[in-house]
């Protein structure tokens, strides 16, 4: 039987790694020879979860692993630019995801299951139930970890009631204390002490087009904002370089405090005043605190997109 | 509460009409104010089913119906060109479908449920179960009708075991004899006696690009192939006109015998010899019988696409 690769997105987070492992397990239980793979390094947070529940990381999807493979299952993403290189050489037979659909096209009908919830693992819990397959304790732990990660322990506005209920159910199967484990896992991922300025700006960065403007928003999660701000001068210099390279209108570096659920932003670029306008704030030394803001997807990007789209750069 | 429109594809078939009605019912049961609509005339087969189970056809989605509506649910399709005009003015919040995904993009996460089965109604049956909602007898009849229609009473190669099981379960709820009702419904839809040559060629026609070649494949279902072939001269003349208008390499008119599960094809265009080659047949008076062939999607289009893609037009 030929192997199907199950893969999350590039620059993988805990949901992409956990969901690949867990869905590959479910497919194997259902008689499909499925192998989980990853498209990048395992981050510290995910490493903590894998170590805690004693599960091995998926192999990196290199040429050897791809050898002879014809079929793919995508988890936690669908857009081509976030996916395996040369995806057009494969047949995508399934997608399990919780993002918008874009840059995705198939030649044949497929199984596509997307739901507007906070985490892929929440959907996977349903699929286990629909297929009457029990979830092993260690995999329940990974699924719970994915929900904690995507929802920042239920504090993100992307988190739904379904995610909370799923995490509780999985915590019970995994026999783990959700709150204390969750905080430790997030802290493990939020350790920025060994990061360079360039690391901080590329761990999780996205570029957005708004009218004639190009915006870059990089984000890190931390338990110690002041510690990250120690690198502010170096970070600012690097931001200015990237602004010139990519011809950005503005670069926003978001440092999210996962304990207090606030974010401190560092803003560089000619259009910094528009960021002040968008959030009704004043920047001091390029910096401001956004109270209660933790989600780039729901609370930062849409606000900036609106501001920059309506007021074109002159 | 604002209304959500539930719509199948343009040129609607029984699955598109039935699934819009049935899914709107389910959404209303779940507290969403959903209204089924149609994007074209109800065909004879669908009219038979609606009349038999005493269900009203959905309203046509005209400007009045669209007034004030912001959200859409798509059933039985996803591609923009098959969908409501100016779809970009609406927010697509759900899709229930069994086709490939293409020409589809959203700004936000959504509920997207596609499965590689023969009919949307087969997926809807699962959704009723997952949501613990009972299916009323008349709607079960419509869902059964949709499966009979899409599968040509289980003879199409697109039909899966799941479709057969779903149809049997629905027939039991609807308290209807699957075989005899099914044959009568297909016959009602297969009455071509009042169709003009232009009708026959446009009831269900699709254009395909294969390399530098453009192919048109029109299909009708009938219980009396000879009756349809009486119009062959008029049909051939009209095919030649369309070939010139659309600059086609070949035009294939497929007359499918739903009793014997064969198809008679009428072929016009400069590249008719490639059609002979593809199916290993000889055309006599532009005509040949394809034994056991009923599905354009699975048995005709792929064979021609391969032939025309590998041997480019000189």
């Amino acid at each position: 039987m030929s192997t199907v690769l199950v893969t999350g997105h590039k620059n993988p987070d805990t949901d992409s790694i956990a969901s690949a492992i867990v869905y590959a397990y479910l497919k194997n239980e259902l008689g499909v020879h499925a192998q989980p793979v990853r498209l990048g390094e395992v981050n510290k947070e995910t490493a903590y979860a894998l170590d805690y529940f004693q599960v091995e990381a998926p192999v990196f999807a290199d040429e050897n692993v791809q050898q002879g493979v014809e079929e793919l299952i995508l988890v936690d993403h669908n857009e081509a630019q976030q996916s395996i290189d040369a995806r057009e050489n494969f047949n995508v037979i399934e997608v399990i995801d919780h993002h918008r659909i874009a840059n995705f096209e198939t030649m044949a009908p497929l199984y596509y299951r997307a739901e507007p919830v906070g985490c892929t693992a929440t959907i996977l819990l349903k699929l286990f139930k629909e297929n009457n397959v029990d979830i092993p304790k260690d995999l329940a732990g990974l699924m719970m970890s994915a929900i904690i990660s995507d929802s920042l322990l239920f504090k993100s506005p992307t988190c739904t009631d379904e995610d909370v209920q799923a995490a509780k159910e999985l915590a019970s199967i995994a026999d783990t204390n959700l709150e204390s484990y969750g905080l430790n896992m997030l802290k493990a991922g939020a350790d920025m002490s060994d990061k360079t300025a360039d690391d901080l700006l590329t761990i999780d960065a996205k570029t957005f087009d708004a009218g004639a403007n190009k915006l870059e928003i990089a984000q890190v999660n931390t338990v110690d904002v002041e510690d990250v701000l120690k690198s502010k001068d170096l970070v600012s210099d690097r931001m200015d370089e990237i602004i010139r390279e990519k011809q950005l209108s503005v670069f926003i570096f978001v440092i999210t405090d996962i304990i207090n659920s606030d974010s401190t932003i560092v803003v560089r670029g000619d259009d910094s005043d528009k960021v002040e306008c968008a959030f009704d704030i004043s920047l001091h030394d390029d910096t401001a605190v956004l109270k209660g803001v933790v989600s780039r997807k729901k609370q930062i990007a849409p606000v900036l997109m609106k501001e920059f789209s309506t007021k074109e750069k002159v």
Side-chain angles (χ1 to χ4, degrees), chain A:
Chain A
M1 186 163 35
S2 64
T3 300
V4 183
L5 299 186
V6 183
T7 180
H9 54 72
K10 285 179 176 167
N11 199 9
D13 57 6
T14 301
D15 190 24
S16 263
I17 297 290
S19 292
I21 294 170
V22 167
Y23 197 50
Y25 172 85
L26 176 58
K27 294 306 290 184
N28 277 290
E29 287 293 302
L30 298 173
V32 176
H33 190 243
Q35 183 185 356
V37 295
R38 60 181 165 85
L39 300 184
E41 292 304 310
V42 169
N43 69 31
K44 283 185 184 175
E45 179 195 274
T46 310
Y48 179 92
L50 290 169
D51 184 57
Y52 189 96
F53 292 105
Q54 291 289 300
V55 179
E56 270 188 46
V59 295
F60 183 75
D62 63 15
E63 280 183 21
N64 278 337
V65 171
Q66 292 184 33
Q67 189 73 39
V69 171
E70 290 175 4
E71 294 181 324
L72 290 184
I73 292 175
L74 311 181
V75 291
D76 195 32
H77 76 294
N78 68 85
E79 299 195 42
Q81 75 277 12
Q82 301 167 2
S83 203
I84 197 165
D85 290 335
R87 187 170 76 183
E88 62 278 11
N89 297 337
F90 299 93
N91 186 13
V92 176
I93 59 167
E94 292 193 34
V95 179
I96 318 290
D97 191 22
H98 67 122
H99 295 91
R100 74 174 193 139
I101 299 177
N103 306 308
F104 183 81
E105 186 165 317
T106 63
M107 289 300 288
L110 76 164
Y111 185 90
Y112 198 110
R113 181 75 168 259
E115 301 196 17
V117 292
C119 183
T120 308
T122 302
I123 306 167
L124 293 182
L125 175 59
K126 288 189 187 184
L127 295 181
F128 273 89
K129 289 179 181 176
E130 287 169 20
N131 289 288
N132 293 310
V133 175
D134 288 332
I135 305 176
K137 198 172 165 176
D138 55 349
L139 299 193
L142 287 189
M143 292 164 79
M144 174 192 73
S145 303
I147 299 175
I148 293 166
S149 169
D150 272 7
S151 72
L152 287 178
L153 247 177
F154 317 131
K155 285 176 184 163
S156 170
T158 59
C159 183
T160 68
D161 286 346
E162 273 195 68
D163 297 301
V164 178
Q165 290 311 314
K168 286 180 179 169
E169 195 175 332
L170 292 161
S172 162
I173 299 171
D175 197 16
T176 305
N177 184 299
L178 195 50
E179 292 290 329
S180 64
Y181 168 81
L183 206 56
N184 286 334
M185 187 196 81
L186 290 177
K187 278 183 186 170
D191 176 12
M192 295 294 148
S193 54
D194 63 345
K195 303 297 181 195
T196 65
D198 207 51
D199 288 342
L200 293 171
L201 296 174
T202 52
I203 285 171
D204 182 10
K206 285 192 177 166
T207 310
F208 297 85
D209 291 310
N213 301 288
K214 219 163 131 190
L215 289 66
E216 181 108 349
I217 312 176
Q219 185 172 28
V220 295
N221 294 331
T222 182
V223 290
D224 190 346
V225 174
E226 287 309 313
D227 191 52
V228 177
L229 282 175
K230 280 183 195 157
S231 315
K232 182 163 165 272
D233 288 347
L234 285 169
V235 165
S236 296
D237 289 349
R238 183 69 192 119
M239 285 169 83
D240 291 344
E241 284 172 28
I242 296 173
I243 286 169
R244 280 193 299 274
E245 283 163 20
K246 296 193 176 182
Q247 300 197 293
L248 303 171
S249 299
V250 77
F251 192 144
I252 301 111
F253 176 46
V254 182
I255 309 161
T256 298
D257 182 331
I258 59 171
I259 306 294
N260 300 314
S261 301
D262 295 324
S263 291
T264 299
I265 56 172
V266 179
V267 185
R268 302 288 291 181
D270 290 343
D271 286 341
S272 297
D273 54 324
K274 286 192 183 167
V275 178
E276 292 185 307
C277 226
F279 291 105
D280 194 19
I281 50 164
S282 297
L283 293 166
H284 300 286
D285 286 337
D286 308 327
T287 302
V289 175
L290 303 179
K291 284 280 168 199
V293 169
V294 297
S295 169
R296 175 173 56 196
K297 185 176 168 185
K298 285 230 172 184
Q299 296 171 300
I300 298 175
V303 177
L304 292 173
M305 293 297 273
K306 198 176 166 200
E307 181 73 23
F308 278 82
S309 299
T310 49
K311 300 175 187 173
E312 291 294 309
K313 197 172 177 178
V314 189

